[in-house]
Amino acid sequence: LFSSRFVGINASDINYSAGRYDASVKPPFDIGFEGVGDVVALGLSASADYTVGQAVAYLKAGSFAEYTVVPAKHAVPLPSVKPEFLTLMGSGATAHISLKELGELSEGKKVLVTAAAGGTGQFAVQLAKKAKCHVIGTCSSDEKAGFLKSIGCDRTINYKTENVESVLRKDYPEGVDVVYESVGGKMFDLALNSLATKGRLIVIGFISGYQNPTGLPPIKAELLPAKLLKKSASIRGFFLNHYLSEYKMALKHLLEMYERGDLVCEVDFGDMSPEGKFTGLESVFRAVDYMYMGKNIGKIVVELPHSVNSKL
């Protein structure tokens, strides 16, 4: 049994609660994908590997709860209960594994990261920089651009004040080699058109469509075969669940980087949101709204205070 202290907010929470990931799951069902906290009780099989009070993280559906039963195989031991560790569970691992397996990064490659100041974008920027790439990040405010510069982004594009297409055409006439794309819609079309010869576009998500009835933003895909052929380019989809064999190693690597001070894990508790910090399960819906308004810098995390009159 696990007591949650921090839970992570993901763009895909809306897709899951709308029944798009698994149509066979009928409401009511538990939502939320990841949590960090401590062990409060152990089943027999878990007592060999875990102790009561130990800090653990886990990645499984149903994390928006104060107490959760977590199978031992889904738990990851942590040095301490810190919200920064939560950022690595889904967001950091997604960036790490997708860029390693699909990005084929090498020194000097030009990498475009969309929604670069978001929960997973922040890691794509840093990991691409560590691979000695030139990194371009799109974002929606000057404050986000400042954050991106602080984590090593070479060129930031605030799409509210600059035209992304003309910046890319003017500054990168040869195109970009890799795109880490999680916005979809117009941004996907633009990224596709900006690919270099043999360029690779990795689809991490398409948040611009999640809130509409189908969950899909419209894209101009009719010319897709011709565009890919002309550039020998490719589009690869990435869904973390299909790469769980790589997960433990990726997480170990990210945790070591963070502990060494080589990785910024930016957490946004919503302190700047209209009603203040996201505290308690009742603030989860505010946190999701805050993300969809494009306000967050880094990973949105909700803190669950320890209840003194807990029913356990």
Side-chain angles (χ1 to χ4, degrees):
L1 185 67
F2 171 90
S3 165
S4 273
R5 291 287 303 284
F6 302 102
V7 294
I9 302 297
N10 291 283
S12 45
D13 290 332
I14 280 189
N15 275 346
Y16 189 75
S17 58
R20 292 188 187 121
Y21 281 166
D22 187 349
S24 69
V25 180
K26 296 286 178 262
F29 52 80
D30 297 332
I31 53 174
F33 293 128
E34 56 196 352
V36 164
D38 30 52
V39 177
V40 287
L42 289 162
L44 280 175
S45 61
S47 50
D49 301 308
Y50 295 94
T51 54
V52 169
Q54 185 173 358
V56 289
Y58 74 99
L59 195 66
K60 81 182 242 307
S63 72
F64 293 160
E66 289 164 338
Y67 293 92
T68 318
V69 175
V70 178
K73 67 172 191 285
H74 288 304
V76 177
L78 294 175
S80 60
V81 177
K82 283 172 76 171
E84 284 78 7
F85 293 132
L86 188 58
T87 67
L88 302 175
M89 296 298 295
S91 303
T94 292
H96 186 286
I97 300 169
S98 65
L99 289 174
K100 180 170 168 280
E101 297 291 318
L102 311 177
E104 298 168 41
L105 301 185
S106 58
E107 187 170 352
K109 294 288 186 204
K110 297 179 186 70
V111 179
L112 170 66
V113 181
T114 64
T120 188
Q122 64 172 328
F123 295 110
V125 167
Q126 293 178 81
L127 294 170
K129 279 306 293 176
K130 295 208 180 306
K132 301 192 164 97
C133 296
H134 176 94
V135 183
I136 308 136
T138 70
C139 63
S140 60
S141 73
D142 290 342
E143 195 191 352
K144 290 184 184 190
F147 165 67
L148 288 174
K149 288 196 181 89
S150 77
I151 58 169
C153 196
D154 296 289
R155 174 64 159 101
T156 60
I157 309 173
N158 173 356
Y159 63 81
K160 295 277 175 79
T161 57
E162 289 189 276
N163 182 301
V164 181
E165 194 170 6
S166 21
V167 169
L168 291 173
R169 199 181 297 133
K170 180 172 147 293
D171 294 357
Y172 305 94
E174 299 291 302
V176 294
D177 302 296
V178 179
V179 184
Y180 185 89
E181 215 295 276
S182 53
V183 177
K186 290 192 176 88
M187 189 64 86
F188 172 88
D189 289 328
L190 201 148
L192 176 67
N193 292 339
S194 305
L195 283 177
T197 302
K198 297 186 184 173
R200 297 170 293 286
L201 191 157
I202 307 172
V203 177
I204 301 298
F206 27 88
I207 190 173
S208 62
Y210 294 170
Q211 285 178 299
N212 71 28
T214 62
L216 291 162
I219 58 166
K220 295 177 180 155
E222 301 86 1
L223 301 171
L224 192 56
K227 285 179 179 178
L228 295 178
L229 176 65
K230 197 170 85 178
K231 293 177 174 176
S232 291
S234 62
I235 298 178
R236 307 284 300 270
F238 179 86
F239 190 48
L240 186 58
N241 291 13
H242 299 144
Y243 287 86
L244 294 180
S245 57
E246 312 287 318
Y247 184 72
K248 283 265 160 80
M249 277 306 293
L251 206 54
K252 183 173 177 287
H253 185 65
L254 290 165
L255 283 166
E256 285 167 1
M257 284 173 75
Y258 174 69
E259 294 278 85
R260 280 200 311 267
D262 284 346
L263 197 63
V264 172
C265 299
E266 189 68 19
V267 172
D268 192 331
F269 277 116
D271 295 297
M272 308 306 287
S273 70
E275 292 167 59
K277 189 174 174 178
F278 303 133
T279 310
L281 287 173
E282 64 278 10
S283 70
V284 163
F285 77 94
R286 280 204 298 122
V288 172
D289 277 350
Y290 181 71
M291 176 189 300
Y292 278 88
M293 289 188 293
K295 299 291 188 198
N296 59 298
I297 294 182
K299 173 90 180 181
I300 301 178
V301 173
V302 174
E303 183 171 7
L304 303 185
H306 271 189
S307 170
V308 280
N309 32 5
S310 159
K311 298 185 177 57
L312 293 173

